[in-house]
Amino acid sequence: MDSPLPPLVAVSCAIYRILLLAYPRNFRREFGGEMAQVFCACCQDAYWRRGIVGLGEVCACTLLDTVGNVARQYALRERVQLLALPPSPAYGLPSLGEANACPFCGEEIEPGRLRCVYCAADLRLCPPQRRRPLSSSRLRTSAGYGAVQLATDARRFYGRVYGEPGRRD
Amino acid sequence: MWCERERTGQVMDDRDRHQAAPPLPPTSFYVLLSLAAEERHGYSIMQEVATLTSGAMRLWPGALYHTIQSLLADGLIAAVPETAGNERWRYYRLTERGRLAAAGETQRLTSLVNLARGRQVLPPQEDS
């Protein structure tokens, strides 16, 4: 096992290590080293048994396996992140007085939006701990979306739900 | 059945849970079977699965570690703490929960085979 790898096997292992970069970072950190070890062992075994044909077969099968499993890992990661989202009144439900800030650019997010209008970040993919309510000072000083805008929105929202406040009286 | 038992206050033990659990994917089942006898590292699991299935199932690194990841998350296998002699490979072992899951799956497959025999899809078993 300690003997130097045949050049073809060494090249295949190096290419596989690069391919491993396609996996999500967490998965790579956890299993990347072991996967590279396993692949190298497979390549060595196949090369000694069947030569270049065996090595080619292992590489082709591993390439297909990598493509399929990278997609599977990303799908899994997205599902886990979506499931981890806590119910928040700012996302999906219109609520007044609970303005939230985009965790990426810090700009105001309108209730019910899933994407920041300023930096286009997908808010569903934001870890819950990174979300923060918009601070009152930021609310006051925010040029684009201040208290006046909030009041306008409140009037608009309640007007939609209960009718125009002015007309109800 | 679960809801009924929970409503009536019956406590389910691990064995009941694994009998009622959804079927294990074939790759997970074979990985559990390969770890039943002894602790193994990834490459050894891969070789053992190929031996158990007579080469019909080959687990390449991506599929192997995807399966290991889900089994670790479910607590069916556990990584063995590193020892001085085995620095190169990380070993995995079957947990008690994993053993019960494998037993539950085996029982499910046995009952399926018996059902197939009853319906004459398979020839009846000869008494030896």
Side-chain angles (χ1 to χ4, degrees), chain B residues 73-96:
Chain B
D74 292 341
L76 303 184
I77 63 171
V80 178
E82 285 178 20
T83 54
N86 300 324
E87 284 162 359
R88 237 188 120 198
W89 296 96
R90 183 155 53 154
Y91 280 67
Y92 298 95
R93 66 174 174 79
L94 198 61
T95 59
E96 193 50 41

Side-chain angles (χ1 to χ4, degrees), chain A residues 16 23 27 30-31 34-35 37-38 41-42 45 61-62 65 69 72-73 76, chain B residues 42-43 46-47 58 60-66 68-69 72 88-90 92:
Chain A
Y16 186 67
Y23 279 98
F27 183 80
E30 180 80 24
F31 301 111
E34 282 181 76
M35 288 168 76
Q37 274 184 335
V38 168
C42 280
D45 189 40
C61 291
T62 306
D65 168 76
N69 279 290
R72 207 151 60 147
Q73 282 296 328
L76 186 70
Chain B
Y43 184 55
M46 182 191 267
Q47 285 180 317
R58 290 293 305 267
W60 300 104
L64 174 69
Y65 281 95
H66 178 80
I68 286 179
Q69 181 194 33
L72 282 171
R88 237 188 120 198
W89 296 96
R90 183 155 53 154
Y92 298 95

